[in-house]
Amino acid sequence: MARTKEFDPDAVLQSALELFWRRGYEATSVTDLVEHLGIGRASIYATFGSKHELYLKALDRYAEMRDPLLMSDLSQPGPALPAVRALVRRFAAEAASPEGRLNGCFVTNTAAELAPHDPAAARRVEISWEHIETLLHSALVRAQAQGELAESRDPRALAHMLLVLLQGVRVVGKASDDPARVRDAAEQALSLLD
């Protein structure tokens, strides 16, 4: 007879996400996972696969948590440009916060640490970025159709620029103790939407 799991895989995955997010992939050993998750190595492997597979599942979980929030922020009825501005300002504020400095963004961290040499991680990063860019592009197209954004502006190019800004804000926010850097950069980028 098979034994039943004595732990909640969903809660363990969330706990693994938090550890990987805080420490990164390379700095987190399987021993660290065993201690942090409170389950045995065999249980980790049987439930989630390798450390790498667990990391990718944690990254997928992160996207599942964050993506609906972004969609909600940028898909509200009414004026679209204020929603774009609010999103950029929120990213800047989060990046400059103590928690933002500690953890950064899990996707951005993965892009810097694993994407250059890990195709599975790179694919997930790219999917996340494409999703953000698509949401921004749609909001900017809507803003243009509603007369909030000049016809001379290119919504696709602006979406590219904002994505790069948001990712850069996350990196600089994590490494800098000067919140004005990210705040000023965000405001300068937003001035391009006038």
Side-chain angles (χ1 to χ4, degrees):
M1 179 183 340
R3 292 184 59 201
T4 59
K5 285 188 171 62
E6 296 176 5
F7 61 91
D8 177 357
D10 196 55
V12 168
L13 180 58
Q14 183 64 35
S15 188
L17 183 163
E18 292 162 6
L19 183 63
F20 281 131
W21 188 1
R22 187 172 58 251
R23 296 190 60 193
Y25 179 77
E26 293 298 333
T28 303
S29 68
V30 175
T31 301
D32 295 332
L33 287 165
V34 167
E35 291 172 7
H36 183 77
L37 302 178
I39 63 174
R41 185 180 300 251
S43 293
I44 292 172
Y45 291 136
T47 305
F48 302 105
S50 67
K51 171 185 157 184
H52 186 255
E53 289 171 305
L54 176 56
Y55 184 90
L56 295 176
K57 288 174 183 166
L59 188 56
D60 291 341
R61 165 63 63 82
Y62 180 82
E64 290 168 7
M65 291 172 9
R66 298 287 290 189
D67 289 354
L69 297 173
L70 294 173
M71 184 174 292
S72 173
D73 290 347
L74 294 174
S75 301
Q76 297 292 322
L81 214 47
V84 172
R85 290 179 186 284
L87 179 76
V88 170
R89 287 180 177 129
R90 190 181 87 221
F91 267 63
E94 287 174 0
S97 72
E99 184 179 320
R101 290 207 61 222
L102 177 65
N103 294 332
C105 167
F106 195 22
V107 172
T108 306
N109 296 349
T110 301
E113 182 182 11
L114 294 180
H117 56 81
D118 183 332
R123 192 170 36 261
R124 284 167 171 80
V125 167
E126 187 60 34
I127 288 167
S128 176
W129 287 350
E130 285 175 0
H131 180 72
I132 294 169
E133 213 169 60
T134 298
L135 291 172
L136 287 165
H137 177 251
S138 295
L140 292 167
V141 166
R142 222 173 70 240
Q144 202 167 51
Q146 295 173 167
E148 302 167 66
L149 183 65
E151 284 296 321
S152 61
R153 301 290 188 201
D154 178 351
R156 176 71 61 203
L158 287 170
H160 289 309
M161 183 269 302
L162 289 173
L163 172 71
V164 171
L165 170 81
L166 295 175
Q167 296 308 302
V169 157
R170 296 292 195 175
V171 171
V172 172
K174 188 170 180 172
S176 175
D177 62 358
D178 182 3
R181 278 192 175 129
V182 294
R183 185 181 58 247
D184 291 350
E187 291 304 319
Q188 286 301 306
L190 290 175
S191 72
L192 297 174
L193 302 179
D194 294 333

